[in-house]
């Protein structure tokens, strides 16, 4: 019939261990070997496995490892004790012949006092880990695998953690007690160590504590509310320093403390914070720093080449955009407060009806005010907001040369030009400092120079920490070169123009007033004029001990805390006459800005005359008598240098012979000295011969003239003699007629 169902589940019994036989021999008083050296795998497993003790929190129960062997056995969750007890009794009855197994169970109960490592069996055999006990409901294969160690011990841990609610309270209480004891022991150890260090260290410990406090203060984040209150208090003291200042504390100490607090509160480096703080009084400086923390309003500029502002506003309002005119000073600007659609993807934007542009970028174009039919140069035009604004003001007439030194940025410039429909724009890619050589004679020039960006910190917060003293030395140098090149590119004789507008998105004096003052000193043929803008603060005429030309009042400054626009600077020049011949040229210096020697420096400052040669001096009657070889040589050398520049060659090479040529020329000089003397003798002989020939020619010419005069006199006398002879034959003619009549 085969194996029964109960035997299939239970499986064959495990083989008895040596300890079992040792217990039997000990009970009967027979000699036996010590089984401690060869413990079975079951007890070694019990020693290695660490059980968790459960901890009770509220109504939920948590299974915890670490249960001790002395605790009562716990029933496994999800099992039925009555059923298990019945099955265990049945298993005993079903195998009555198995005396050894029964004896083993009996002996284990009797030997509880003898051996400490052996657990007592529970009433239903469920609390034991003995391999000889099986559950009839379990699969024998699963039962065997339960006690086999593997790489993944999660199943075994879950099996041990499944405890009943009855034992969780006691186990959790014991765990809490253990943790309290450990905490007390740790505190006691710390106290002992502190006492020992106090005895050994003494005063050194206090110094270490002070150092730790200072370190923790620097590491911890500052209390922003405390910093803000301290900033406002310091500003209040500086406003009324005489009455509110503490005794023995100077104004410099208050300002230094205020600058440090501003650096900590707003995140500036100390150099830039001090530079910006010095531009304003303390209260206005605080307002400036505060305004840089909030973004400027979104502004769009209407493209009047394609639509009107009223029509554009109505179309955007219908799409759910909340807007209003940017101000009375602009006729094309719209300020956007809220939008349900992305402004850079509307059909109106794609059709070129408007462009996203900051309100402060309107100002330079408004100051330049280009007229229809003019030639205008935009020296740094990308991304094209100002260029397309000028094209709209000129109504697509005239020519606009949009230059940008970056080819990558020029791609975006070209895209905006096409989208907005500007048809009078020519895009070029030159270094703007070379533009007087490339092309000149413009009616107006716009220079929006690259700058440090201290006026647009709200857009680019990285400026707070990236700018240092080196930037404020390099950028003004570049701006001065660009401004001189812009002035030289303008035609002073233009009937409608002759203007240059210089602008930056910076508020630093080094990039604005100092650059303008430099241009006025190097170009006496220009002057500052009114910008024509309706608002703006006057430029500085004196700053930090430096005084500038009084005409700098005509420049305009714009601040975010005053006008809610980006920080900006605008200056407008008018060119009155040609550039002086001895003026320093911005484009004459090589890229390194370091001439090799004195001759190279003179070449760098040389004026390139591109004006056409007029008929100022007329040629004299005698051919060749009006030429001067020395003057012609200068013109020829200048023409050679200009031709070499057009071909991309260095004109200094004409005046710099190589070393090999120099040695050859020294040898030839000696040879030519003797030849020069011989040549002088030959020239003298030739001159004498020429004088003799000239005399002969004169004599022959005189003889010819005498002969001709004689011939002329003879002809005249003959004519005089023939006149009376011609008058006498008249009566002959009458007689002839009578004869003819008589014959008839």
């Amino acid at each position: 019939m085969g194996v029964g169902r109960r035997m299939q589940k239970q499986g064959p019994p495990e083989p008895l261990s040596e300890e079992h036989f040792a217990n039997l021999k000990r009970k009967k008083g027979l000699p036996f070997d010590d089984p401690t050296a060869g413990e079975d795998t079951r007890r070694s497993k019990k020693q290695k496995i660490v059980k968790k003790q459960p901890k009770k929190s509220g109504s939920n129960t948590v299974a915890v490892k670490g249960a001790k062997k002395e605790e009562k056995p716990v029933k496994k969750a999800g099992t039925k004790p009555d059923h298990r007890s019945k099955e265990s009794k049945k298993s005993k009855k079903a195998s009555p012949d198995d005396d050894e197994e029964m004896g083993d169970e009996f002996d284990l109960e009797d030997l509880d006092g003898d051996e400490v490592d052996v657990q007592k069996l529970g009433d239903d055999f469920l609390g034991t880990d003995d391999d000889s006990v099986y559950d009839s409901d379990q699969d024998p294969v699963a039962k065997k695998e339960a006690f086999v160690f593997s790489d993944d011990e999660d199943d075994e841990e879950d099996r041990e953690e499944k405890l009943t609610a009855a034992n969780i309270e006691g186990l959790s209480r014991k765990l809490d007690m253990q943790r309290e004891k450990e905490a007390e022991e740790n505190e006691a150890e710390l106290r002992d160590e502190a006492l020992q260090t106090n005895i050994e260290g003494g005063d050194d410990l206090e110094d270490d504590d002070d150092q730790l406090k200072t370190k923790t203060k620097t590491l911890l984040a500052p209390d922003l509310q405390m910093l803000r209150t301290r900033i406002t208090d310091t500003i209040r003291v500086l406003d009324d320093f005489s009455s509110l200042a503490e005794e023995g504390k100077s104004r410099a100490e208050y300002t230094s403390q205020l600058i440090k607090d501003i650096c900590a509160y707003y995140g500036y480096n100390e150099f830039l914070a001090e530079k910006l703080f010095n531009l304003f009084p303390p209260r206005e400086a605080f307002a400036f720093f505060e305004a840089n923390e909030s973004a400027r309003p979104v502004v769009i500029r209407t493209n009047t080449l394609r639509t009107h502002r009223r029509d554009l506003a109505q179309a955007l309002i219908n799409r759910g955009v909340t807007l209003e005119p940017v101000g009375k000073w602009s006729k094309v600007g719209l300020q956007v407060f809220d939008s349900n659609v992305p402004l850079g993807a509307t059909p109106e934007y794609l059709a070129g009806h408007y462009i996203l542009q900051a309100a402060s970028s309107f100002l330079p174009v408004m100051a330049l005010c280009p007229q229809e039919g003019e030639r205008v140069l935009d020296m740094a035009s990308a991304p094209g907001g100002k260029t397309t604004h000028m094209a709209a003001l000129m109504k697509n007439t005239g020519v606009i040369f949009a230059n940008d030194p970056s080819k990558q940025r020029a791609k975006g410039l070209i895209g905006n030009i096409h989208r907005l429909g500007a048809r009078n724009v020519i895009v070029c890619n030159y270094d703007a400092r070379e533009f007087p050589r490339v092309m000149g004679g413009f009616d107006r020039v716009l220079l929006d120079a690259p700058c440090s960006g201290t006026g647009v910190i709200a857009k680019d917060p990285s400026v707070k920490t990236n700018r240092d003293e080196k930037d404020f030395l390099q950028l003004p140098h570049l701006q001065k070169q660009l401004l001189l090149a812009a002035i030289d590119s303008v035609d002073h004789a233009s009937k409608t123009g002759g203007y240059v507008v210089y602008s930056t998105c910076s508020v630093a004096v080094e990039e604005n007033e100092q650059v303008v003052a430099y241009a006025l000193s190097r170009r006496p043929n220009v002057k500052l004029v009114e910008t024509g803008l309706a608002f703006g603060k006057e430029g500085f005429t004196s700053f930090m001990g430096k005084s500038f030309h009084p005409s700098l009042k005509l420049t305009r400054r714009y601040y975010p805390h005053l006008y809610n626009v980006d920080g900006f600077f605008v200056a407008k020049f008018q060119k009155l006459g040609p550039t002086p011949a001895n003026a320093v040229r911005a484009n004459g210096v090589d890229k390194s800005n370091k001439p090799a020697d004195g001759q190279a420096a003179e070449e760098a400052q040389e004026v390139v005359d591109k004006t056409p040669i007029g008929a100022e001096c007329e040629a004299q009657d005698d051919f060749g008598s009006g030429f001067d070889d020395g003057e012609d040589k200068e013109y020829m050398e200048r023409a050679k240098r200009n031709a070499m520049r057009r071909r991309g060659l260095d004109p200094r090479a004409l005046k710099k012979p190589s070393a090999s040529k120099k040695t050859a020329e020294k040898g030839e000089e000696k040879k030519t000295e003797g030849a020069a003397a011989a040549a002088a003798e030959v020239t003298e002989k030739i001159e004498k011969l020429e004088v003799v020939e000239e005399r002969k020619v004169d004599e022959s010419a005189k003889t010819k003239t005498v002969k001709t005069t004689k011939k002329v006199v003879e002809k005249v006398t003959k004519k005089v003699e023939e006149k009376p002879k011609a008058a006498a034959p008249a009566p002959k003619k009458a007689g002839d007629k009578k004869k003819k009549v008589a014959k008839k």
Side-chain angles (χ1 to χ4, degrees):
M1 292 178 64
V3 183
R5 180 181 177 185
R6 185 161 55 85
M7 291 299 292
Q8 284 180 354
K9 289 186 177 181
Q10 182 173 345
E14 293 271 337
L16 297 177
S17 63
E18 295 180 359
E19 187 178 4
H20 172 71
F21 295 105
N23 290 333
L24 291 176
K25 289 178 182 179
R26 187 194 307 164
K27 185 176 180 182
K28 293 179 180 181
L30 298 175
F32 62 94
D33 297 332
D34 189 6
T36 56
E39 279 189 340
D40 59 343
T41 58
R42 176 176 56 80
R43 292 187 178 181
S44 63
K45 290 176 185 177
K46 288 182 181 180
Q47 292 176 0
K48 290 179 182 179
I49 296 173
V50 179
K51 296 181 180 180
K52 289 187 177 180
Q53 292 184 350
K55 182 178 179 181
K56 184 175 180 181
S57 60
S59 61
N60 298 328
T61 59
V62 181
V64 184
K65 288 185 181 180
K68 295 184 179 180
K69 294 181 181 179
E70 298 176 358
E71 295 170 3
K72 294 182 179 180
V74 183
K75 296 180 181 180
K76 293 185 178 180
T79 59
K80 298 179 181 180
D82 295 337
H83 175 70
R84 288 175 180 242
S85 62
K86 289 178 183 179
E87 292 293 333
S88 63
K89 290 177 183 179
K90 287 180 182 180
S91 65
K92 289 180 183 179
K93 291 179 182 179
S95 58
D97 298 333
D98 194 0
D99 295 333
E100 294 178 353
E101 183 177 355
M102 294 175 67
D104 185 20
E105 294 168 358
F106 178 76
D107 294 338
L108 288 171
E109 291 178 359
D110 294 340
L111 295 173
D112 186 27
D114 296 333
E115 289 191 22
V116 181
D117 295 334
V118 181
Q119 276 189 334
K120 291 185 179 180
L121 293 173
D123 296 335
D124 53 358
F125 294 86
L126 294 177
T128 62
D129 290 330
D130 197 340
D131 296 340
S132 62
V133 180
Y134 295 95
D135 189 358
S136 60
D137 294 336
Q138 292 180 348
D139 191 1
V141 179
K143 182 66 181 175
K144 288 179 182 178
E145 290 178 355
F147 295 93
V148 177
F149 287 99
S150 64
D151 295 335
D152 189 5
E153 299 178 354
D154 294 339
D155 296 336
E156 184 180 351
E157 292 175 0
D158 294 340
R159 220 180 281 113
E160 292 171 357
E161 291 171 3
K162 292 179 181 178
L163 303 175
T164 59
N167 292 320
I168 286 177
E169 284 190 40
L171 296 176
S172 62
R173 201 176 296 114
K174 289 181 180 179
L175 273 176
D176 293 338
M177 292 174 65
Q178 287 178 359
R179 288 174 182 170
E180 289 176 359
K181 287 180 181 179
E182 289 177 358
E184 290 177 358
E185 290 175 358
N186 291 334
E187 289 179 0
E189 289 179 1
L190 290 173
R191 289 194 199 100
D192 294 340
E193 290 178 358
L195 289 173
Q196 291 176 1
T197 52
N198 284 333
I199 293 168
E200 293 173 359
D203 296 334
D204 295 336
L205 183 64
E206 295 178 359
D207 297 337
D208 295 336
D209 292 340
D210 294 335
Q211 292 177 359
L212 287 172
K213 286 180 181 179
T214 54
K215 288 181 181 179
T216 52
K217 282 182 181 178
T218 56
L219 292 174
L220 291 174
D223 189 355
L224 297 181
Q225 188 62 33
M226 182 188 69
L227 278 175
R228 190 174 181 87
T229 54
R230 190 163 64 186
I231 288 170
T232 53
D233 292 341
T234 307
I235 291 171
R236 184 173 55 83
V237 172
L238 290 174
D239 288 341
D240 191 5
F241 186 77
S242 59
S243 59
L244 298 177
E246 296 179 4
E247 294 183 0
K249 200 170 184 180
S250 63
R251 180 182 285 272
E253 293 176 356
Y254 277 103
T255 54
S256 63
Q257 182 63 42
L258 179 59
I259 290 171
K260 289 179 181 178
D261 292 341
I262 287 172
C263 293
Y265 188 77
Y266 294 108
Y268 289 82
N269 60 28
E270 193 167 352
F271 171 78
L272 186 60
E274 185 177 0
K275 183 173 287 295
L276 297 176
F277 180 82
N278 292 331
L279 293 172
F280 313 98
R283 190 167 296 279
E284 190 176 356
F286 177 66
F288 174 78
F289 287 116
E290 192 67 22
N292 286 334
E293 299 303 309
S294 59
R296 304 278 78 75
V298 179
V299 177
I300 61 176
R301 179 181 60 80
T302 307
N303 182 22
T304 55
L305 294 174
R306 296 194 185 277
T307 186
H308 298 284
R309 185 170 70 170
R310 186 186 298 274
D311 300 336
L312 175 64
Q314 189 61 44
L316 293 178
I317 288 170
N318 294 337
R319 296 190 184 277
V321 180
T322 305
L323 49 81
E324 68 176 15
V326 73
K328 295 181 180 180
W329 55 273
S330 176
K331 297 180 180 179
V332 294
L334 288 171
Q335 182 176 345
V336 179
F337 297 101
D338 189 17
S339 176
N340 297 329
V341 294
L343 293 175
T346 61
E348 289 78 13
Y349 177 84
L350 298 176
H353 291 183
Y354 67 90
I355 183 173
L356 291 164
Q357 187 175 354
S360 56
S361 297
F362 299 179
L363 302 172
V365 179
M366 294 172 64
L368 186 64
C369 191
Q371 303 298 316
E372 297 180 20
E374 289 185 338
R375 295 174 73 246
V376 182
L377 171 64
D378 190 355
M379 298 186 77
S381 56
K386 300 179 183 66
T387 303
T388 53
H389 192 185
M390 289 191 293
L393 292 177
M394 297 169 66
K395 298 179 182 179
N396 266 341
T397 62
V399 183
I400 299 174
F401 291 87
N403 178 69
D404 198 88
S406 173
K407 288 186 179 180
Q408 191 66 28
R409 286 168 59 86
K411 294 179 182 178
L413 168 65
I414 295 170
N416 282 326
I417 289 170
H418 284 293
R419 184 174 62 84
L420 297 173
R423 298 191 300 272
N424 62 338
V425 181
I426 298 173
V427 179
C428 50
N429 175 236
Y430 287 100
D431 185 353
R433 291 172 290 184
E434 299 177 359
F435 230 89
R437 292 181 177 178
V438 175
M439 186 180 295
F442 294 99
D443 296 316
R444 298 171 195 261
V445 175
L446 174 63
L447 173 59
D448 186 22
C451 61
S452 62
T454 53
V456 291
I457 295 175
K459 290 182 182 178
D460 186 10
S462 64
V463 177
K464 296 178 180 179
T465 55
N466 291 345
R467 299 303 180 191
D468 54 5
E469 190 174 1
K470 185 179 179 181
D471 295 322
F472 289 95
L473 293 175
Q474 292 179 345
L475 288 170
H477 180 70
L478 174 63
Q479 291 160 355
K480 291 172 184 177
Q481 289 180 322
L482 292 172
L483 184 53
L484 293 183
I487 293 171
D488 294 340
S489 300
V490 176
D491 183 13
H492 69 280
S494 174
K495 295 180 180 179
T496 59
Y499 295 101
V500 177
V501 168
Y502 171 77
S503 64
T504 63
C505 55
S506 173
V507 295
V509 177
E510 290 84 355
E511 300 178 80
N512 298 326
E513 281 84 358
Q514 287 189 9
V515 175
V516 172
Y518 175 84
L520 292 174
S521 64
R522 291 294 184 272
R523 293 292 183 270
N525 57 326
V526 297
K527 68 173 183 178
L528 287 172
V529 295
E530 287 284 352
T531 58
L533 300 174
F535 67 103
K537 201 171 182 180
E538 294 181 355
F540 291 106
T541 55
S542 62
F543 178 77
M544 301 287 289
K546 297 179 182 178
S547 59
F548 305 114
H549 196 273
S551 62
L552 281 167
K553 286 185 178 180
L554 300 175
T555 61
R556 289 291 177 265
R557 282 177 159 267
Y558 299 90
Y559 299 115
H561 64 284
L562 293 179
Y563 308 109
N564 200 18
V565 297
D566 293 329
F568 229 77
F569 176 82
V570 179
K572 187 175 182 179
F573 297 87
Q574 183 180 8
K575 191 173 181 180
L576 304 175
T579 302
N582 58 351
V584 177
R585 296 284 174 148
N587 60 351
V589 185
D590 57 357
K591 293 182 179 179
S592 62
N593 293 325
K594 294 180 180 178
D597 52 6
Q599 183 180 358
E602 291 177 0
E603 288 286 340
Q605 297 181 3
E606 181 185 2
V607 178
V608 180
D609 187 9
K610 291 191 177 182
T611 58
I613 299 174
E616 296 177 356
C617 55
E618 298 179 356
Q620 297 180 5
D621 295 337
D622 295 334
F623 180 77
S625 60
F627 290 95
D628 186 2
D629 294 336
E631 187 177 356
D632 292 344
K633 188 176 181 181
E634 293 180 2
Y635 282 110
M636 292 169 67
E637 288 180 355
R638 186 184 301 174
K640 286 180 182 179
R641 288 195 293 269
N642 291 339
M644 292 183 72
R645 288 193 187 95
R646 284 193 294 271
R647 292 195 299 270
L649 302 175
D650 189 4
R652 300 168 193 165
L654 292 173
K655 296 185 179 181
K656 289 183 180 179
S658 60
S660 60
K661 289 183 179 180
K662 289 181 180 179
T663 54
E665 287 176 358
K666 289 180 180 179
E668 290 178 357
E669 285 178 359
K670 296 179 180 179
K671 295 179 181 179
T672 54
E673 287 179 358
E681 294 178 359
V682 173
T683 52
E684 288 179 0
K685 292 179 181 180
I686 291 170
E687 287 177 356
K688 291 179 181 179
L689 292 172
E690 287 178 353
V691 171
V692 173
E693 288 178 358
E694 286 178 359
R695 290 177 182 175
K696 290 180 180 180
V697 170
D698 293 338
E699 290 177 356
S700 61
K702 288 179 182 179
T703 55
K704 287 180 181 179
T705 53
V706 170
K707 290 179 181 179
T708 53
T709 51
K710 287 180 179 180
K711 289 180 181 180
V712 171
V713 170
E714 289 176 356
K715 287 180 181 180
V716 172
T717 54
K718 284 180 181 181
K719 287 180 181 179
V720 172
E721 291 176 354
E722 287 176 356
K723 282 182 181 180
K725 291 180 180 180
K732 287 182 181 180
K733 288 181 180 179
D736 293 338
K737 286 181 181 180
K738 289 178 180 181
K739 286 178 181 181
K740 288 179 182 179
V741 172
K743 286 179 181 180
K744 287 180 180 181

